Structure formats: C-alpha cells, structure tokens
Amino acid sequence: MSDLPRKAVTRTARLAALPLGFAGRATWGLGKRIVGESAEIVGRELQQRTAEQLFKVLGELKGGAMKFGQAMSVFESALPEEVAGPYRAALTKLQDAAPPMPTRTMHAVLAERLGEDWAELFLEFDDKPAAAASIGQVHRAVWHDGREVAVKVQYPGAGEALLSDLSQLSRFARLLGPLIPGMDVKPLISELKDRVSEELDYGLEAQAQQAHADEFAGDPDVLVPAVVHQCDQVLVTEWIDGVPLSEVITDGTQEQRDRAGQLLSRFLFSGPARTGLLHADPHPGNFRLLPGGPDGADDWRLGVLDFGTVDRLPGGLPDTIGESLRMTLDGDAEAVYELLRTEGFVKDSIELDPDAVLDYLLPIIEPAQVEEFTFSRGWMRSQAARIADPRSPAHQLGKQLNLPPAYLLIHRVTLSTIGVLCQLGATVRLREELEEWLPAFLAADAPETFDADGSVAEA
C-alpha cells in the first residue's frame, strides 16, 4: 500500500463493498452445498473467507476501520468455537499489525513537526516501523541523550479517515452484529467516534501517559514508559522491550498467562484509583510482559502502552460499581434495584422485577464470587449466548436496561479486559483486586474489631 487512503470516496467504496462480499460468499456457500459438500466444511470455509476479507480491509485502511477491528478483536472469545477458529488468526494479527506508510511520508511528517534537521535529534533512527496501528506507526530510535525511544508518527489525514470510516461502518452495523453474539455494534462505533478528537491529540496522550509513568515509577508490577518529547503528530517515549500480550495468548506458558491476567486486572482497577484516569484501549497490542517482577528475574511485570484514549475519573471508578457488586453478591435484590434506578440504569418509565435483575447480574459477576477464577472462552461464550438468545429471560431483561453515558467507556473497557482475560485463559484473584482498589466494594458498616486493650484494631 503506497499511503494511507485518504479520499473519502475511496475508503467509502472499499467499506461499502464488505456487505456485498458477505452476500457473495453466502451465495458461493449455497452453491457448494448444492454440489454435495458438507455443511460443516462449507460453513468453516465461509467463515474463514469472511474473516480474511473483513480484517484485511480493516487493517489496510487503518484509521477508524482498523480501530473498530481492534475493538472487536478482544471479543473473539465470545464466538462459538467452530466459528472462532477461522477468525482467531485474523483478529489477533489485527491487534498489533498494519501495513506501514511509506518512508518518504514519514520523513515529511518528522521534518514538518520536528524541523528539517530532525535527524540530529537522534543518534539512531530505524526507518522500518516496529509497529503500525490505527492512526500512527512506531519507530525504534536512540534519542540524542542515549536513551532508547519509541517515536510515534501520526498518519497524514488520520482524522478525516477515522470519522469517514466510523460513519460508514455505522451504516451497516447490523450486518456486523452477528460477528460477536450479544454485542450491539452500533453504540460501540458511536463511542469510538466520540473519542476521535482525543486520540488524535498527542498532547493529551502525552499528559495521560506521563501521569501514569510518574505514579507507577518504581512499581514492582506495572511499568509505563516516560514521555521524552511531544509535538503535533509526533510523540517520543522511552522504549520498552517485552513479550507482546498477543504472543502470550498464542504461545505463553500457563504461568505467564496467569501472571499477565492478574496484572491486567490490577491495572484496570488500580489505574483510576491512583491516577484519576482509566486506560481505555485494552487490546493485547498495548501490553507487554517484562522480566523482572517483585520475585526477581524469573517473575514478570506488565508494560502498558498507548494512552491515546482515556476516561477521566478524578475520584477513581464510581462508588456505584463497588456498591452494586457487593449488594449483588449479598443477594440484596431490592437494594441493587434501587441503586441501579437511582444511577439511571433503570429508567423511571420501566418497572422490573428486582429478583429478575439479580438473576441477570449474578452469572456476570461470577469471577468476583470466588477467591480465584479461571477465565475461559467457554465461560465467555456461555455469557454471550445467555444474553444474545432472544428466547432467554436474560435477553429480554437486558433490552430494558439502560447504560448511562458516564458509564459507557467504563463498561466497554471492562468487557474488553474480560475478553482478553478469556483469550489468555488466566486464573485470576479478581476479588483481591476489587477489595484493594474499590473501597465501596467492602461494606461500609463492617463490624469493628478491637485489640486486647479495647482500642479499635487497625485494618
């Protein structure tokens, strides 16, 4: 590919051709069935061809098309196993790879933003990108002070491409819905559109990343690379090596999977409490496992990248999340229902049975009910099937619930993280993280304990 396709008519035509391609392959499948091939073989070939075309187009177009594909990729665990196989390779590949922009284009951006003598800022600069994502690509380099750095360069025309792609994708969201059972694609696309301006602003990204780098400096579990330099369309940060989480998902040991899952859960809940920010792009391409955790060289830390999308939560995650979790686990249906109604999850015009709401919620929060929980594709599929089946009471009740705007991004990030945990097949002590980082998860009226002298014991 010679450059990021920027002309709206070109991008629109390629995206608009996707539904036609789906229909054409369905006709091809029918023809194969007529001449006697088994439904299972035809179905598998059809899914594979669909996956290959869909994610090839999304990856090549970058912009909003690839951003949507990455957001979808973490929900691969929800697909039935006979369908998931052909999709898995295409989805995983999309998480951290895309065709690069030409060297001349990248050099032109650097010259415009850093000055014609931009090369003098670096002792070394690798023209071959180390990674290419939805709106920019990353080059490995050595800064003039000797530090190894990652140089993120934004694609020219990325903003126009993002908005054009997402608008076009929303027009045939209904056709994309069946890819992920139980998921309404249109609100996902709408929410991605709302975040476009923030993701294009490398100044905001630099602030969010540096806030995390400062807070997690010296942390035994999490490493966030510091910001070295930032200007419009260019962001320079410290380089970190490590095993990409996508590789852990594919080839990691169970020990690596469990450690990665625990640290990912810890970062999800501790980040907002410690920085007032929620990292809102939790696909595997944005995480690394680094050697040298708290137990030495054989242990692991989590490296976190890409803070282009964050949710600003000055007080941390809302207390409502911890309170509703605790009440649900306690089986207090009336209290849960009243809290959800107060927060706008149940509209005033809707009347629901509190016990039915409790029954809807309990399976979803199963990982918080036990000391440790093994996330799996099977569990994810069972949850998706329960909510997606129109005959299911859960499906009927779920359609009547509302998601307030303040919780939209939190909801997507949580679901995405759970999707990654299921891809990892990780055994995680989730309740431990909830108790540590969601104060409202612990009962406010828990009985005090006393020392022998009668004073209140410290926790």
Side-chain angles (χ1 to χ4, degrees), residues 250-262:
T250 305
D251 300 313
T253 65
Q254 192 58 50
E255 182 182 14
Q256 288 176 316
R257 293 169 185 275
D258 293 345
R259 178 64 173 163
Q262 191 70 43

Side-chain angles (χ1 to χ4, degrees), residues 317-399:
L317 290 167
D319 285 348
T320 301
I321 295 174
E323 291 172 7
S324 60
L325 278 170
R326 170 171 49 81
M327 292 173 180
T328 303
L329 291 173
D330 289 344
D332 194 342
E334 292 290 344
V336 172
Y337 184 65
E338 286 307 313
L339 182 60
L340 294 180
R341 181 178 285 284
T342 300
E343 289 295 311
F345 288 91
V346 180
K347 293 185 176 180
D348 292 339
S349 58
I350 299 290
E351 286 293 336
L352 298 174
D353 177 4
D355 289 321
V357 173
L358 189 69
D359 290 341
Y360 174 86
L361 294 173
L362 277 171
I364 301 172
I365 65 167
E366 184 182 358
Q369 294 177 285
V370 291
E371 186 174 338
E372 60 180 29
F373 183 81
T374 299
F375 290 86
S376 68
R377 288 184 165 94
W379 179 79
M380 185 80 162
R381 286 195 298 270
S382 69
Q383 295 300 318
R386 184 176 70 96
I387 296 170
D389 186 351
R391 300 164 298 180
S392 164
H395 176 82
Q396 297 301 324
L397 190 144
K399 289 197 303 182

